[in-house]
């Protein structure tokens, strides 16, 4: 049996009996440290795993639950995940209802071991609030690189709390990472200036880029809502079609964690009205790229997205279409 509810932000929250049973079975296991004395950390999404690994350095072993192409809005903890969480010394997650389907498991873990939401330090006045549900916020804060620095601060604090002897290491690593993010933020601002102002419109399958738009000057229009648990309607498709045609936008985008058909419907509808629009190279939104690739790290993911957006929106529609077709064929 599966118990399912819908949060006020429209995100599916569900927990299966298998996960609950695994949690109960792991109850006696308790926390454990890595055999070599390092902290055993678990993080939900790749962007957080990346921070914990950078700040923790050699004093932390970090395991990421959600790999490339995984949608955290819908991700349910398996029995193996619950075991991994139960055996960890410390757990990091995004919060703001991003990991909605894991909500019950994370609550249980918080009651028994150090569990940190990396968005806790962000001033709520800076968050993008739902127009429909008061007090609920867009969780995709990593798309504003300067805002994501707060996640570094939270991880730094948490690791010092859990391993005071490593304070000097954690502070030095966190300072270096913040410097990297400052340079990355400056690069993004310079790079997006190449897009003509009238074309600074980012149309995506999933409304995950509001923080990017606000920080870097883009109007953002998503087919689906902030959560992928919501379904796009015919009216949503038509709204995007009208925007593409009226604004003469050369390219629209789909994310790696979203089925391509969601944005192909927009492309087909635009074509039916005698206009061509390219589907640009896939963007990384809720998941990063494969391990060992530049996109498998947060800075590389950001650079990939920004380069894809700038090149597709700066090109004439026919050139953008040819480039997108070539990228899709790879």
């Amino acid at each position: 049996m599966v118990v399912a509810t819908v949060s006020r932000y429209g995100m599916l929250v569900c927990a299966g009996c298998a996960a609950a049973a695994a949690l109960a079975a792991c109850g006696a296991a308790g926390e454990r440290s890595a055999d070599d004395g390092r902290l055993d950390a678990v993080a939900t999404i790749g962007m957080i795993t990346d921070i914990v690994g950078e700040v923790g350095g050699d004093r932390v072993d970090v395991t990421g639950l959600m790999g490339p192409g995984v949608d955290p809005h819908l991700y349910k903890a398996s029995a193996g995940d619950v075991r991994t969480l139960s055996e960890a010394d410390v757990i990091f997650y995004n919060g703001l209802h991003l990991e909605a389907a894991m909500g019950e498991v994370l609550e249980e873990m918080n009651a028994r071991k150090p569990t940190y939401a990396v968005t806790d330090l962000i001033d709520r006045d800076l968050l993008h609030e739902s127009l429909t549900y008061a007090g609920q916020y867009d969780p995709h804060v990593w798309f504003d690189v300067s805002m994501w620095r707060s996640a570094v601060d939270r991880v730094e604090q948490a690791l010092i709390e859990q391993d005071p002897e490593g304070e000097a290491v954690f502070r030095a690593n966190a300072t270096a990472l913040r410097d990297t993010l400052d340079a990355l933020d400056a690069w993004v601002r310079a790079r997006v200036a190449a897009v003509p102002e009238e074309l600074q419109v980012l149309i995506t399958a999933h409304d995950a880029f509001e923080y990017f738009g606000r920080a870097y000057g883009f109007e953002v229009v998503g087919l689906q809502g902030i959560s992928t648990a919501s379904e796009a309607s015919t009216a949503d498709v038509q709204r995007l079609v009208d925007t593409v045609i009226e604004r003469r936008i050369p390219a629209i985008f789909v994310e790696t964690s979203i089925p391509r058909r969601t944005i192909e419907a927009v492309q087909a509808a635009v074509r039916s009205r005698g206009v061509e629009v390219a589907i640009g190279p896939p963007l990384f939104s809720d998941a990063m790229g494969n391990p060992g690739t530049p996109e498998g790290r947060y800075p590389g993911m950001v650079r990939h997205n920004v380069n894809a957006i700038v090149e597709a929106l700066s090109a004439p529609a026919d050139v953008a279409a040819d480039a997108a077709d070539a990228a899709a064929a790879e």
Side-chain angles (χ1 to χ4, degrees), residues 114-295:
T115 303
Y116 299 91
V118 301
T119 55
D120 277 352
L121 296 183
I122 299 176
D123 184 343
R124 270 30 189 176
D125 289 340
L126 299 178
L127 294 175
H128 177 62
E129 188 170 0
S130 168
L131 299 177
T132 306
Y133 303 105
Q136 299 291 328
Y137 303 101
D138 182 344
H140 304 93
V141 294
W142 54 87
F143 284 118
D144 179 343
V145 177
S146 62
M147 185 177 287
W148 196 230
R149 291 173 95 261
S150 291
V152 178
D153 298 343
R154 189 69 185 108
V155 169
E156 177 188 22
Q157 290 179 0
L159 292 180
I160 291 171
E161 289 173 10
Q162 300 307 311
D163 179 13
E165 293 182 2
E167 179 174 355
V169 172
F170 300 145
R171 290 200 184 282
N173 288 347
T175 296
L177 182 52
R178 282 188 288 265
D179 289 345
T180 296
L181 297 186
D182 288 343
L184 180 63
D185 181 65
W187 176 85
V188 175
R189 295 179 188 281
R191 185 76 176 98
V192 298
V195 180
E197 185 174 351
E198 67 274 13
L199 296 180
Q200 291 179 355
V201 181
L202 180 58
I203 297 176
T204 61
H206 165 213
D207 191 11
F209 291 84
E210 289 292 343
Y211 293 109
F212 176 87
R214 187 174 68 183
Y216 305 114
F218 280 71
E219 179 183 343
V220 177
V221 185
L223 178 58
Q224 289 177 273
I226 288 173
S227 169
T228 54
S230 62
E231 293 290 337
S233 67
T234 301
D236 293 326
V237 171
Q238 193 56 54
R239 172 174 54 87
L240 262 64
V241 170
D242 291 342
T243 300
V244 169
I245 293 174
E246 291 169 7
R247 305 286 291 274
R248 298 183 179 181
I249 306 301
I252 55 182
F253 299 88
V254 65
E255 299 93 296
T256 60
S257 55
I258 305 293
R260 187 178 172 90
R261 65 178 181 273
T262 60
I263 208 69
E264 286 177 340
V266 177
Q267 183 186 45
V270 170
R271 183 175 293 131
S272 71
R273 290 171 57 176
V275 177
E276 287 295 328
V277 63
I279 297 178
L283 302 181
F284 296 98
S285 59
D286 292 342
M288 299 197 302
N290 291 321
T293 67
E295 296 81 13

Side-chain angles (χ1 to χ4, degrees), residues 1-5 12-20 76-77 100-105:
M1 183 180 74
V2 175
V3 179
T5 59
L12 183 65
V13 181
C14 52
C17 286
K76 303 174 189 177
M102 286 185 63
E104 184 175 318
V105 171

Side-chain angles (χ1 to χ4, degrees), residues 21-97:
L23 183 60
C26 292
E31 295 91 17
R32 67 170 176 83
S33 294
D35 293 340
D36 56 8
R38 293 188 286 183
L39 276 178
D40 189 354
V42 175
T44 53
I45 61 173
M47 290 71 82
I48 300 173
T49 304
D50 199 51
I51 289 178
V52 177
E54 285 291 306
V55 177
D58 292 338
R59 299 187 69 89
V60 176
D61 281 319
V62 57
T63 299
L65 289 185
M66 305 180 197
V70 173
D71 184 345
H73 298 286
L74 305 179
Y75 187 86
K76 303 174 189 177
S78 67
D81 291 335
V82 174
R83 190 174 301 110
T84 298
L85 290 163
S86 186
E87 292 176 348
D89 296 314
V90 58
I91 297 167
F92 295 94
Y93 68 105
N94 190 77
L96 302 177
H97 296 289

